[in-house]
Amino acid sequence: VDAAISGGASAVQVRDPDATGRELHELVAWLAQHLAGSGVPLIVNDRADVALSAGADGVHLGQFDLPVPAVRAMAGPNFVIGLSVTSIDQLDEVKAWSVGTVDYIGAGPVFQTLTKPDAAPPMGTDGLRAIASASPVPCVAIGGITEADVEAVMATGVSGIAVVSAICAADDPERTARRICEAMSR
Amino acid sequence: VDAAISGGASAVQVRDPDATGRELHELVAWLAQHLAGSGVPLIVNDRADVALSAGADGVHLGQFDLPVPAVRAMAGPNFVIGLSVTSIDQLDEVKAWSVGTVDYIGAGPVFQTLTKPDAAPPMGTDGLRAIASASPVPCVAIGGITEADVEAVMATGVSGIAVVSAICAADDPERTARRICEAMSR
């Protein structure tokens, strides 16, 4: 995490579907303290209760997780809520929500990914462009994105890129994060 | 649920570890509405976020779930929080908490149970008696308890009994719940 942030990563998401609630809480509470004052928001996948009770900044919800409006009502206006969108049809409910219900969408998988074996089929940059241009909130691209793909992905109009393997499995995570950020700027 | 309540069940817990967050939320939201005004509290296993966002009365936490004090801080004083205790050593932290942190403990499994394959070894009525007499909060017995066991279990000093199979797998859940309640009164 420190290497990624040194390289320019501007947000951190914790995802560990195999961890117990207790393990996830410990990890998130530790990270929240570690990142306090850094300006880098800490987002927890799926578990709004872990995020809220461990001092994270927000939760990222999938289509099979808690409904976004229910979490917004529980968590208040200052909690960050993101939603995974895997097809353009799923934007319909996003558009129907009042402003401030969801803060951003994560659109993907753009390409094939091994990180999430149960992921939806890849949408490619054409599918991503359709979602990014129709989304009423910032759209972050995710799924199998490597350093080499960054410029093509950014050209679809997304606001940002999320990666797991590209940085976490890199020999030098800081350098890779920096090169991804530089490619995003181009 | 309706049959159990007609027979005298005074609380309902929802537990479905295989459900998605979305499925569990739908079920709990529906049940919360169904039970509104009944005076029967609705408790959700493990997922405090589902309980809070779907309008349940409380959450029941295990030793591998979120820490009780963290959920209490998040959920406020009127939310019911229960904790599973499988050995007397686990009472140490319960005793160390300030009053109102946890509302009750569920002690067990008393006997062998098939409902929860990963349950701890049975503690028997002797183990249950030791926990019930040392607990600073009401103690509910759980785990493999049938109608025939009720009087022996109540004789340990517990405040209540929780069952799954005994009622849910009964031919006549209402009649079985009533017979369990009558045995508890004896």
Side-chain angles (χ1 to χ4, degrees):
Chain A
V1 167
D2 285 339
I5 292 173
S6 297
S10 57
V12 172
Q13 183 185 135
V14 174
R15 177 174 185 269
D16 186 352
D18 298 325
T20 65
R22 185 72 57 102
E23 290 167 338
L24 196 60
H25 184 272
E26 271 177 32
L27 174 61
V28 172
W30 184 88
L31 261 177
Q33 214 160 12
H34 185 69
L35 295 178
S38 69
V40 176
L42 177 63
I43 309 293
V44 177
N45 192 62
D46 175 9
R47 294 289 301 251
D49 46 4
V50 173
L52 286 163
S53 67
D57 301 286
V59 70
H60 186 88
L61 300 167
Q63 294 287 326
F64 302 108
D65 296 332
L66 287 177
V68 169
V71 176
R72 174 60 69 203
M74 168 178 65
N78 296 323
F79 191 65
V80 176
I81 304 180
L83 174 69
S84 291
V85 166
T86 62
S87 76
I88 195 148
D89 297 345
Q90 292 168 0
L91 272 185
D92 290 348
E93 63 168 1
V94 175
K95 290 178 187 169
W97 291 332
S98 59
V99 173
T101 302
V102 71
D103 294 298
Y104 72 91
I105 59 165
V110 183
F111 306 117
Q112 202 119 57
T113 171
L114 295 174
T115 301
K116 199 175 174 188
D118 61 341
M123 58 176 61
T125 50
D126 285 346
L128 180 63
R129 183 177 293 109
I131 290 174
S133 61
S135 175
V137 293
C139 174
V140 175
I142 190 166
I145 301 170
T146 66
E147 195 188 320
D149 306 313
V150 169
E151 290 183 58
V153 170
M154 288 304 290
T156 63
V158 294
S159 303
I161 285 179
V163 297
V164 181
S165 309
I167 289 180
C168 296
D171 289 332
D172 186 339
E174 180 177 341
R175 182 166 170 272
T176 305
R178 183 168 297 120
R179 289 169 64 99
I180 290 174
C181 290
E182 288 166 356
M184 288 177 73
S185 302
R186 283 197 292 276
Chain B
V1 168
D2 285 338
I5 292 172
S6 298
S10 57
V12 172
Q13 183 185 136
V14 174
R15 178 174 184 268
D16 186 352
D18 297 326
T20 65
R22 186 71 57 100
E23 290 167 340
L24 196 60
H25 184 272
E26 272 177 31
L27 175 61
V28 172
W30 185 88
L31 261 176
Q33 213 159 14
H34 185 70
L35 295 178
S38 68
V40 175
L42 177 63
I43 309 293
V44 177
N45 192 63
D46 175 11
R47 293 290 301 251
D49 46 3
V50 173
L52 286 164
S53 66
D57 300 286
V59 70
H60 185 88
L61 300 169
Q63 294 286 327
F64 302 108
D65 296 333
L66 287 177
V68 169
V71 176
R72 175 61 70 204
M74 168 177 66
N78 297 320
F79 191 66
V80 177
I81 304 180
L83 174 69
S84 292
V85 166
T86 63
S87 76
I88 195 150
D89 297 344
Q90 292 168 359
L91 272 184
D92 290 347
E93 63 167 2
V94 175
K95 289 176 185 169
W97 291 332
S98 59
V99 172
T101 302
V102 71
D103 294 296
Y104 72 92
I105 58 165
V110 184
F111 306 117
Q112 202 118 57
T113 171
L114 295 175
T115 301
K116 199 176 175 188
D118 61 341
M123 58 176 61
T125 50
D126 286 346
L128 180 63
R129 181 178 296 107
I131 290 175
S133 61
S135 176
V137 293
C139 173
V140 176
I142 190 166
I145 302 170
T146 66
E147 196 188 317
D149 307 313
V150 169
E151 290 183 61
V153 170
M154 289 304 290
T156 63
V158 295
S159 303
I161 285 178
V163 298
V164 181
S165 308
I167 289 181
C168 296
D171 289 333
D172 185 339
E174 180 177 341
R175 182 165 170 274
T176 305
R178 184 168 296 117
R179 289 169 65 98
I180 289 175
C181 290
E182 286 166 359
M184 288 178 73
S185 303
R186 280 199 293 277

